[in-house]
Amino acid sequence: MTTVTTRTVEYPADGLTMVGHLALPAGAGRRPAVLVGPEGPGLNDFQRRRADALAELGYVALAFDINGGRWFTDPEEMLARALPLLADPDRMRGIGHAALDVLRAEPRTDPDRIAAIGYGTGGAIALELGRDGVDLRAIGTVNATTTGRPGEAARIRCPVWAGVGSEDPIMPVAQRDAFTAEMQAAGVDWRLVVYGGALHAFHHPPVDQAVRAGVGYHPQHAQRAWRDIVDLLAECVPVTD
């Protein structure tokens, strides 16, 4: 098995001290890098393991924080944090840029080969980095068919992949249609995969927290979405020795 080195990184963003998880692949040379954004409740071991898995594939990976080290177990508390954030592209971009600065500062990172993936709120942040004109090689999102300010999607400079559950009430058909219309009008190289029968957060294993309506784990589609993201990275930012 590939030896992966991990460490916790603290950095300021959005008036908070963020606590990210950096995973480094074996070796000493520069490697392509991936930002990994969490869903609204925050960064937990799920995204940390995703970063570790990417490092095993040869990527430098930073699972970034959005809630100042907190994981919200109360859905109402989470929404009180997430909804104002999702309504403010500049705040999302600030969180994304702070994480991107940490990733770029890592000596193992090839600054010309960086991708961003994210789940829920973290996916929305990845998209906002693209709309801000950041030079990314790929953007991959799950449960984050969010739209941005008019015209700014034209600044996205890389392929965009989005996955969503067909029964997701938080990202319903009208939202998906608005997202794809925005991408198409902007001339983005985009793809949307709709996973049949899946709810919101279908990718995330059950955790000990209050259950929200419309949220549910779908293990088969979770595996498929992960493979789709890995394939996106292999296509757009391959690991080469």
Side-chain angles (χ1 to χ4, degrees):
M1 179 178 291
T2 303
T3 301
V4 170
T5 303
T6 66
R7 69 173 185 268
T8 299
V9 290
E10 295 188 359
Y11 57 96
D14 200 41
L16 301 169
T17 298
M18 301 299 185
V19 184
H21 175 83
L22 183 68
L24 302 176
R30 287 190 167 185
R31 293 291 184 270
V34 185
L35 284 175
V36 183
E39 51 273 283
L43 179 61
N44 68 356
D45 284 342
F46 174 75
Q47 278 84 16
R48 294 184 187 100
R49 287 193 297 269
R50 288 302 194 218
D52 295 349
L54 290 172
E56 289 178 0
L57 294 173
Y59 296 95
V60 177
L62 174 64
F64 65 88
D65 185 13
I66 61 173
N67 294 333
R70 294 192 62 188
W71 166 266
F72 291 117
T73 58
D74 180 347
E76 296 306 317
E77 192 175 15
M78 182 273 290
L79 289 174
R81 164 73 181 166
L83 292 181
L85 181 60
L86 288 167
D88 192 333
D90 291 325
R91 283 181 65 198
M92 286 194 285
R93 292 176 185 186
I95 290 173
H97 277 288
L100 187 61
D101 288 346
V102 171
L103 188 59
R104 283 176 169 158
E106 165 54 48
R108 296 290 309 282
T109 295
D110 181 342
D112 296 322
R113 293 190 292 163
I114 297 177
I117 67 172
Y119 301 84
T121 302
I125 290 171
L127 285 167
E128 283 305 322
L129 285 176
R131 294 184 183 107
D132 201 32
V134 172
D135 185 15
L136 298 170
R137 292 296 184 93
I139 297 171
T141 73
V142 179
N143 302 322
T145 52
T146 56
T147 51
R149 289 185 291 225
E152 291 189 337
R155 302 169 72 184
I156 295 175
R157 303 161 65 182
C158 64
V160 171
W161 177 92
V164 66
S166 69
E167 307 309 303
D168 184 345
I170 298 170
M171 297 287 159
V173 173
Q175 179 64 36
R176 301 201 302 260
D177 288 347
F179 171 78
T180 58
E182 178 193 30
M183 295 295 110
Q184 184 66 19
V188 175
D189 177 2
W190 65 273
R191 282 171 282 174
L192 175 71
V193 176
V194 180
Y195 296 94
L199 298 168
H200 193 69
F202 70 87
H203 64 280
H204 199 298
V207 294
D208 294 329
Q209 68 179 90
V211 176
R212 291 181 60 203
V215 173
Y217 180 50
H218 194 301
Q220 292 87 359
H221 284 327
Q223 294 176 6
R224 290 163 179 159
W226 176 245
R227 287 197 297 266
D228 286 343
I229 286 174
V230 170
D231 288 347
L232 172 75
L233 297 174
E235 174 190 340
C236 298
V237 57
V239 175
T240 55
D241 292 325

